[in-house]
């Protein structure tokens, strides 16, 4: 392959990703290098499009994107997010998170796969979730802090701040949760891709047998057109809190 051919292909890839972010009249959450997984409409269990205004505040919701078995959190936070946050993956790649969507910038989505040991919600149990009430954790300078409105993983006590792109506040997680790029258009919300440190291949390798039992042999298939959003307590039987 010549340098000219490579540059042309790279240029076309960048143009395609940029076009996706500019599509539609809505605001886009992703302001950084984006892995395009297709534009998917978020709907409720009745097939009605999710609306930022009517989404319940401070309640875990889960949907599957970009693959049939990879869970994500959709959250309407009790407060607006920051307008942007400079973050980095475990291997040192920097990216900029562009905040939430909706009128008050409070609707966000993140991969629900913990960046430490891949803990995630399943139909039987979830050790990771959003905490509306304050939880305690070891913060800066090894001082105990308490904060509400965080994502907490009870496997190894990693704490993420969803108002700042799921930045790690405490625990062994080496990077933020991967962010799901959201786009609003009229009264609809779309997932358009993933940015940050996605862990999907590791997830498939670690849990392929169980995922096939739960989702069938299509567990690696990309989600297309629509993704169903449901409250976490309707998807998983037991939520572990710590």
């Amino acid at each position: 392959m010549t340098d000219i051919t490579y540059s042309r292909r790279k240029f076309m890839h960048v143009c395609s990703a940029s076009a996706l972010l500019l599509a539609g009249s809505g605001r886009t959450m992703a302001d950084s290098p984006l892995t395009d997984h297709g534009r998917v409409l978020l709907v409720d269990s009745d097939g009605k499009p999710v609306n930022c205004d009517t989404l319940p505040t401070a309640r875990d919701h889960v949907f599957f994107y970009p693959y049939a078995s990879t869970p994500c959190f959709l959250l309407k936070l009790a407060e607006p997010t920051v307008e942007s946050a400079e973050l980095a993956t475990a291997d040192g790649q920097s990216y900029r998170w562009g905040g939430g969507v909706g009128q008050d910038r409070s609707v966000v989505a993140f991969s629900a796969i913990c960046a430490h040991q891949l803990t995630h919600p399943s139909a039987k149990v979830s050790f990771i979730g959003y905490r509306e009430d304050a939880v305690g954790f070891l913060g800066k300078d090894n001082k105990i802090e308490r904060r509400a409105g965080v994502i907490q993983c009870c496997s190894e006590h990693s704490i993420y701040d969803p108002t700042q792109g799921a930045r790690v506040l405490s625990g062994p997680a080496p990077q933020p949760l991967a962010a799901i790029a959201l786009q609003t258009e009229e009264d609809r919300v779309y997932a358009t891709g993933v940015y940050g440190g996605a862990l999907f291949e590791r997830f498939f390798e670690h849990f392929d047998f169980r995922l096939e039992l739960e989702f069938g042999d299509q567990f690696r298939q990309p989600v297309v057109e629509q993704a169903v959003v449901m409250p976490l307590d309707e998807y998983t039987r037991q939520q572990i809190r710590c």
Side-chain angles (χ1 to χ4, degrees):
M1 180 184 297
T2 66
D3 290 341
I4 293 176
T5 301
Y6 175 79
S7 298
R8 183 178 299 155
R9 289 185 178 180
K10 184 175 182 181
F11 174 78
M12 292 302 293
H13 175 74
V14 171
C15 287
S16 297
S18 299
L20 178 66
L21 295 181
L22 294 173
S25 59
R27 183 171 179 268
T28 300
M29 187 174 72
D31 288 327
S32 59
L34 174 72
T35 302
D36 175 11
H37 288 283
R39 192 168 184 251
V40 170
L41 177 66
L42 302 187
V43 300
D44 64 19
S45 57
D46 294 323
K48 297 178 181 179
V50 169
N51 185 305
C52 288
D53 293 334
T54 59
L55 190 68
T57 301
R59 185 179 183 187
D60 305 73
H61 287 77
V62 66
F63 65 99
F64 292 89
Y65 182 84
Y67 300 102
S69 62
T70 51
C72 304
F73 289 127
L74 179 69
L75 301 167
K76 184 175 183 179
L77 305 175
E79 60 181 308
T81 68
V82 297
E83 292 188 4
S84 66
E86 300 295 330
L87 303 170
T89 63
D91 58 3
Q93 295 186 17
S94 61
Y95 62 99
R96 184 165 69 95
W97 184 72
V101 298
Q103 289 188 352
D104 57 357
R105 221 174 51 248
S106 63
V107 177
V108 297
F110 301 102
S111 171
I113 301 171
C114 182
H116 180 226
Q117 291 187 337
L118 309 179
T119 297
H120 60 280
S122 71
K124 291 184 178 181
V125 65
S126 179
F127 285 82
I128 185 172
Y130 179 76
R131 311 301 185 220
E132 181 180 7
D133 298 327
V135 298
F137 58 89
L138 195 63
K140 295 180 180 179
D141 302 321
N142 290 324
K143 294 182 179 179
I144 297 295
E145 298 183 22
R146 291 189 62 81
R147 185 181 298 192
V150 299
I151 297 173
Q152 180 186 43
C153 179
C154 290
S155 291
E156 299 290 340
H157 300 286
S158 291
I159 304 287
Y160 303 91
D161 185 351
T163 68
Q164 297 193 23
R167 184 191 302 276
V168 179
L169 295 176
S170 181
Q175 65 180 22
L177 298 175
I180 307 300
L182 296 180
Q183 186 179 70
T184 57
E185 185 175 322
E186 298 179 345
D187 292 331
R188 301 185 173 198
V189 182
Y190 296 86
T192 62
V194 179
Y195 60 116
L199 303 171
F200 304 131
E201 288 304 317
R202 281 179 54 196
F203 180 75
F204 292 145
E205 290 172 5
H206 278 71
F207 303 108
D208 58 345
F209 180 74
R210 182 180 60 76
L211 293 174
E212 187 168 358
L213 288 177
E214 185 172 345
F215 297 92
D217 58 6
Q218 304 297 307
F219 71 91
R220 289 175 176 261
Q221 289 298 309
V223 175
V224 296
E225 295 187 359
Q226 295 184 348
V228 177
V229 176
M230 68 196 87
L232 180 60
D233 58 12
E234 292 182 10
Y235 169 66
T236 191
R237 296 187 198 129
Q238 184 179 15
Q239 296 185 59
I240 305 299
R241 297 179 180 271
C242 50

